[in-house]
């Protein structure tokens, strides 16, 4: 009976749906780190990857063989091919970070990243290995289900709700979590064979290797006894992570312990992006409520400061297209600076002085913090300024000519809402009707 | 059908985890040779190969960098320190970390001798572009200084001086 229950627990662990938010945030971080890593490669692209560089293709084949996945095998390694694949790589990383076409982006990222890695293995460090493995697992993950433009698009299409309810298959996430455990277990196993680590002298030796130096290390941290403490701390943390991270009582403690270790390494050692890459995986060990708690810590003071700029937004509640747009805006309104009101409600004239009823049926209306009624483009601009994702872009709306242009564009969209709704219906979106939208909010 | 797919996926995932763990452990682990034989071709092809002996079993105990010395046809010589990281600025050394990996961890090794010729050719090309003169020969030079390990009483001996040795010379045909 015990083996059976163990297998059942394992199966549940690997297959029971989970909240997608940790994966969504991880995807954003990972995409960003991959982008940064790629930007560091830009000045030396031809040196490392083209046939005019330090490792022409015949030499590569002689050294590592010909049996590795790489696009360069098919298209060659001329400078133009290298730059083209690099451009695809950058685009894939950017799209993955934004969560737009997440699945396709993750496939493209894995293929291009692995191709670059297999094109020149002599410039790779362990952070690259982790990146490559993670990019493989992401191919099988529904990483666009949260914190992504894909989710915003699904909300607009009616395939998702403002309040997240979706759960995702956990297999890819579990693979990433367990891969991290393998990393720490394996490195501990290797270190345990080394007398310098056991004696506590390993950090003392590493401190003398000036080629790794980054920021200055205080003299007392370079002492023999500090070295022993740090060496044994490293061994203990790496040995225990794979086990203690799975218990609620010790999970956060282990993550903090490893963060401290990696923060120290990031300060003292010049290994490009290794610490951020490995620490980004820690996000997958956090729960949705923990992530929301951290987000709230950041948002709360900002929200209370921005409270003075609160606006009331009145939309046409009989317009399915409008309600879809509002659903997207609601999702983006992270600082809760707007109150969303159906402009068709009959009691609004009682609640709001001079409520512009007729205007509200034709365009978006807001009542701003100064008590002014704004409509159309000006209302949209006020809304956009309060959405962190687009607020910088919204500043363009204050430049000369933009209000005129914006008003014309807004009017066209407002006048053609039925046609726009039909277009999205034909494109596979759900029908934009008010009856259909009952469950949106 | 969906259940079968789920079971298959779970089986594959479990197999990967077991093989990844066993092949990442030290060579002394009994099942490692079998796991390597099973997984190596697939891992090597797909990019799932991995090794986690970071600063292990013992960290590298020599401070190392590689330089190159170009002799031009007019007799002048220029030395280019390819991977002397602590001579670079903070931002430069972070961006050029790949150079350290390539030169210090790989190029300078005798096991990677086949890399030397193309490295020298590339350095010569860069020198010619930078100085506008023909390069007659390129030397690749290792520099190293040993690290000291405290003894059992905590006593630390004085570090030795830097040493250097040319490990490859290439005469370029013109």
């Amino acid at each position: 009976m015990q083996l059976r229950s163990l297998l059942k627990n394992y199966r549940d662990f690997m297959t029971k749906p989970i909240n997608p938010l940790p994966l969504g945030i991880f995807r954003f971080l990972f995409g960003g780190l991959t982008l940064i890593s790629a930007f560091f490669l830009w000045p030396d692209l031809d040196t490392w990857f083209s046939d005019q560089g330090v490792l022409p293709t015949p030499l590569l084949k002689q050294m590592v063989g010909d049996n590795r996945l790489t696009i360069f095998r098919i298209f060659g390694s001329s400078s133009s091919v290298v730059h083209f694949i690099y451009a695809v790589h950058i685009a894939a990383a950017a799209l993955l970070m934004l969560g737009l076409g997440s699945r396709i982006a993750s496939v493209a990222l894995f293929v291009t990243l692995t191709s670059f890695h297999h094109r020149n293995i002599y410039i790779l460090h362990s952070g690259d290995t982790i990146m490559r493995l993670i990019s493989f697992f992401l191919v099988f993950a529904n990483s666009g289900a949260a914190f992504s433009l894909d989710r915003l698009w699904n909300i607009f299409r009616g395939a998702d709700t403002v309040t997240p309810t979706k759960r995702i298959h956990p297999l890819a996430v579990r693979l990433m979590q367990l891969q991290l455990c393998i990393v720490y277990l394996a490195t501990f196993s290797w270190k345990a064979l080394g007398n310098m680590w056991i004696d506590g002298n390993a950090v003392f030796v590493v401190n003398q290797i000036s080629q790794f130096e980054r920021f200055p290390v205080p003299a007392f941290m370079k002492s023999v006894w500090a070295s022993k403490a740090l060496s044994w701390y490293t061994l203990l943390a790496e040995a225990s992570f794979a086990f203690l991270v799975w218990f609620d009582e010790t999970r956060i403690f282990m993550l903090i312990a490893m963060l401290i270790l990696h923060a120290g390494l990031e300060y003292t050692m010049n290994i490009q992006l290794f610490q951020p890459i490995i620490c980004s995986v820690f996000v997958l060990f956090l729960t949705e409520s923990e992530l929301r708690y951290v987000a709230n810590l950041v948002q709360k003071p900002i929200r209370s400061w921005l409270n003075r700029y609160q606006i009331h937004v009145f939309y046409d509640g009989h317009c399915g297209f409008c309600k879809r747009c509002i659903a997207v805006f609601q999702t983006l309104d992270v600082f809760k600076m707007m109150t969303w009101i159906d402009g068709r409600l009959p009691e609004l004239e009682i609640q709001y002085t001079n409520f512009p009823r007729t205007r509200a049926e034709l365009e978006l209306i807001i009542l701003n913090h100064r008590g002014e009624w704004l409509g159309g483009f000006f209302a949209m601009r006020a809304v956009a300024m309060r959405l962190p994702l687009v607020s910088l872009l919204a500043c363009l709306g204050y430049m000369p000519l933009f209000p005129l242009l914006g008003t014309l564009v807004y009017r066209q969209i407002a006048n053609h809402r039925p046609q726009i709704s039909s277009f999205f219906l034909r494109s596979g979106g759900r029908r934009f009707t008010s009856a259909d939208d009952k469950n949106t909010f | 059908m969906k259940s079968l797919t789920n079971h298959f996926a779970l089986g594959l995932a479990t197999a990967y985890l077991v093989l990844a763990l066993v092949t990442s452990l030290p060579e002394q682990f009994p099942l490692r040779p079998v796991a390597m034989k099973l997984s190596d071709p697939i891992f090597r092809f797909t990019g799932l190969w991995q090794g986690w002996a970071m600063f292990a079993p013992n960290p590298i105990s020599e401070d190392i960098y590689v330089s190159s010395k170009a002799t031009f046809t007019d007799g002048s010589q220029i030395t280019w320190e390819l991977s002397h990281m602590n001579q670079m600025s903070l931002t430069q050394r972070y961006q050029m970390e790949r150079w350290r990996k390539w030169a210090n961890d790989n190029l300078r090794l005798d096991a990677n001798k086949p890399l030397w010729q193309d490295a020298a050719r590339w350095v010569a090309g860069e020198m010619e572009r930078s100085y506008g003169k023909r390069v007659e020969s390129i030397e690749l030079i290792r520099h190293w200084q040993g690290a000291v390990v405290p003894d059992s009483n905590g006593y630390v001996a004085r570090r030795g001086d830097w040493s250097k040795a040319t490990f490859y010379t290439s005469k370029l045909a013109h």
Side-chain angles (χ1 to χ4, degrees):
Chain A
M1 280 304 283
Q2 274 205 333
L3 177 64
R4 193 184 281 183
S5 66
L6 189 70
L7 287 172
K8 185 186 178 300
N9 287 342
Y10 175 70
R11 199 177 62 238
D12 286 347
F13 172 74
M14 297 293 271
T15 58
K16 208 168 161 186
I18 57 172
N19 190 289
L21 185 61
L23 177 62
I25 292 175
F26 169 72
R27 187 215 70 247
F28 174 78
L29 291 172
F30 181 76
L33 287 168
T34 318
L35 256 182
I36 296 170
S37 178
F39 283 137
F40 281 129
L41 281 175
W42 166 252
D44 301 310
L45 267 186
D46 284 328
T47 305
W48 300 134
F49 304 114
S50 80
D51 283 331
Q52 290 73 46
V54 297
L55 191 66
T57 304
L59 176 61
L60 173 70
K61 283 182 186 169
Q62 178 193 342
M63 296 297 289
V64 302
D66 200 21
N67 58 339
R68 293 176 189 250
L69 171 67
T70 171
I71 303 175
F72 296 107
R73 233 169 123 187
I74 305 168
F75 298 110
S77 301
S78 65
S79 179
S80 46
V81 168
V82 169
H83 282 81
F84 177 73
I85 293 172
Y86 179 79
V88 172
H89 179 68
I90 292 280
L95 288 174
L96 186 70
M97 182 181 167
L98 295 172
L100 186 63
S102 306
R103 187 82 62 169
I104 299 171
S106 57
V107 172
L109 184 73
F110 168 68
V111 172
T112 53
L113 186 69
T114 305
S115 295
F116 278 117
H117 285 190
H118 285 169
R119 181 59 188 85
N120 191 340
I121 63 168
Y122 297 108
I123 61 169
L124 304 180
H125 56 65
S126 298
D128 296 308
T129 308
I130 293 170
M131 253 201 312
R132 193 175 60 249
L133 295 171
I134 295 290
S135 69
F136 177 77
F137 300 139
L138 275 175
V139 167
F140 304 100
N142 190 355
S143 60
F147 205 69
S148 64
L149 292 180
D150 283 343
R151 176 164 139 74
L152 286 181
W153 174 242
N154 283 336
I155 290 171
F156 181 76
R157 283 175 54 233
D160 202 345
T161 54
V162 174
T163 308
T165 53
K166 225 178 202 173
R167 313 285 275 182
I168 56 168
H169 198 287
L171 190 60
V173 173
R174 298 300 185 211
L175 280 169
M176 289 187 261
Q177 291 173 318
L178 290 167
Q179 177 67 67
L180 191 65
C181 293
I182 289 173
V183 171
Y184 287 125
L185 257 183
T187 192
F188 165 74
S189 305
W190 280 98
K191 287 186 170 87
L193 297 176
N195 60 296
M196 286 195 207
W197 286 103
I198 303 298
D199 292 343
N201 293 323
V203 173
F204 189 88
V205 169
V206 173
N207 277 336
Q208 295 172 68
I209 310 302
S210 63
Q211 304 312 312
F212 285 124
E213 251 173 41
R214 196 161 174 208
F215 297 112
V217 177
F220 76 92
M221 293 292 285
K222 289 187 179 182
S223 69
V224 173
W225 289 107
S227 161
K228 287 189 191 298
L230 292 170
S231 303
W232 293 331
Y233 177 89
T234 303
L235 284 178
L236 186 64
E238 288 176 351
S240 43
F241 181 88
F243 306 103
L244 297 183
V245 79
W246 299 108
F247 299 104
D248 285 335
E249 295 89 342
T250 49
R251 178 171 51 91
I252 298 294
F253 169 76
M254 272 319 310
L255 290 174
I256 292 172
M258 295 314 284
L259 267 176
I260 291 170
L261 172 66
H262 287 292
L265 290 171
E266 181 67 7
Y267 178 85
T268 55
M269 298 195 73
N270 190 64
I271 303 177
Q272 199 185 83
L273 292 178
F274 175 73
Q275 321 305 334
I277 290 168
I278 205 165
C279 289
S280 68
V281 186
F282 293 172
V283 171
L284 295 175
F285 289 91
L286 298 175
T287 63
E288 188 226 349
S289 53
E290 285 163 351
L291 286 168
R292 292 206 185 276
Y293 174 78
V294 171
N296 203 37
L297 280 177
V298 174
Q299 284 173 351
K300 203 171 168 187
I302 299 174
R303 209 178 284 158
S304 55
W305 181 73
L306 289 173
N307 201 39
R308 72 193 83 172
Y309 301 110
Q310 275 273 341
I311 59 174
H312 293 215
V313 183
F314 302 86
Y315 59 92
D316 182 357
H318 287 186
C319 164
F321 172 72
C322 304
K323 290 183 80 172
R324 288 280 179 263
C325 292
I326 296 301
V328 172
F329 298 153
Q330 258 202 324
T331 311
L332 294 175
D333 183 21
V334 291
F335 294 121
K336 304 286 179 253
M337 292 183 71
M338 291 172 271
T339 307
W340 310 90
I341 303 163
D342 180 354
R344 294 275 184 173
L345 292 173
E347 62 268 28
L348 291 177
E349 276 86 349
I350 302 166
Q351 289 172 357
Y352 297 93
T353 317
N354 301 325
F355 177 72
R357 168 67 62 190
T358 316
R359 215 171 148 200
E361 290 171 8
L362 299 173
E363 60 186 11
L364 191 75
I365 299 288
I366 66 144
L367 176 63
N368 70 11
H369 58 287
R370 289 189 287 265
E372 295 164 338
W373 292 99
L374 300 175
F377 165 78
F378 299 97
M380 266 309 308
R381 187 175 66 183
V383 167
M385 285 299 293
R386 286 157 175 79
L387 302 176
L389 194 65
V390 297
S391 57
L392 273 177
L393 205 64
C395 291
L396 287 175
Y398 290 91
M399 292 176 68
L401 289 181
F402 267 88
L404 179 65
L405 208 64
T407 304
L408 287 169
V409 170
Y410 184 92
R411 211 161 276 161
Q412 287 299 310
I413 293 173
N415 291 343
H416 293 93
R417 281 177 287 167
Q419 289 91 322
I420 295 170
S421 297
S422 303
F423 171 77
F424 282 111
L425 174 66
R426 277 199 302 275
S427 307
R430 287 180 58 198
R431 185 182 292 276
F432 294 127
T433 66
S434 54
D436 205 31
D437 296 336
K438 244 187 319 189
N439 297 321
T440 301
F441 302 107
Chain B
M1 187 63 191
K2 192 176 176 185
S3 174
L4 201 64
T5 313
N6 280 339
H7 280 105
F8 180 67
L10 183 56
L12 264 185
T14 308
Y16 166 78
L17 289 168
V18 170
L19 288 172
L21 175 63
V22 174
T23 55
S24 299
L25 293 174
E27 283 133 2
Q28 292 86 335
F29 193 74
L31 292 173
R32 192 171 182 266
V34 174
M36 288 292 294
K37 203 171 173 185
L38 280 171
S39 63
D40 197 51
I42 302 166
F43 281 14
R44 197 176 283 269
F45 176 75
T46 55
L48 296 176
W49 49 272
Q50 53 197 278
W52 306 111
M54 299 174 284
F55 296 98
N58 285 313
I60 187 170
S61 52
E62 280 180 327
D63 205 354
I64 297 164
Y65 70 92
V66 173
S67 69
S68 62
K69 186 156 73 175
T71 305
F72 297 94
T73 48
D74 64 3
S76 60
Q77 290 182 328
I78 299 275
T79 298
W80 178 14
E81 292 185 330
L82 297 170
S83 57
H84 201 171
M85 307 308 289
N86 68 346
Q87 297 298 304
M88 300 178 192
S89 69
L90 270 174
T91 42
Q92 213 180 2
R93 87 177 71 155
Y94 199 73
Q95 191 271 314
M96 293 191 68
E97 156 66 2
R98 304 282 179 187
W99 288 81
R100 184 199 63 78
K101 197 68 195 168
W102 172 67
N104 297 358
D105 288 0
N106 289 293
L107 182 69
R108 55 122 186 153
L109 295 173
D110 289 339
N112 290 331
K113 194 172 172 180
L115 299 179
W116 297 346
Q117 186 180 12
D118 281 288
R121 169 193 55 75
W122 181 83
V123 168
E126 291 297 302
M127 293 288 215
E128 285 178 355
R129 265 189 289 278
S130 297
Y131 295 97
K133 296 188 279 189
R134 301 304 294 269
V135 170
E136 189 174 69
S137 70
I138 291 282
E139 282 177 59
L140 297 177
I141 306 162
R142 285 184 196 113
H143 303 255
W144 70 94
Q145 184 188 33
V148 287
V149 182
D151 67 12
S152 53
N153 297 320
Y155 171 73
V156 180
R158 188 186 155 277
R159 264 182 105 173
D161 295 327
W162 279 91
S163 304
K164 66 177 183 180
T166 299
F167 62 93
Y168 182 71
T169 305
S170 170
K171 288 211 180 299
L172 287 99
H174 293 298

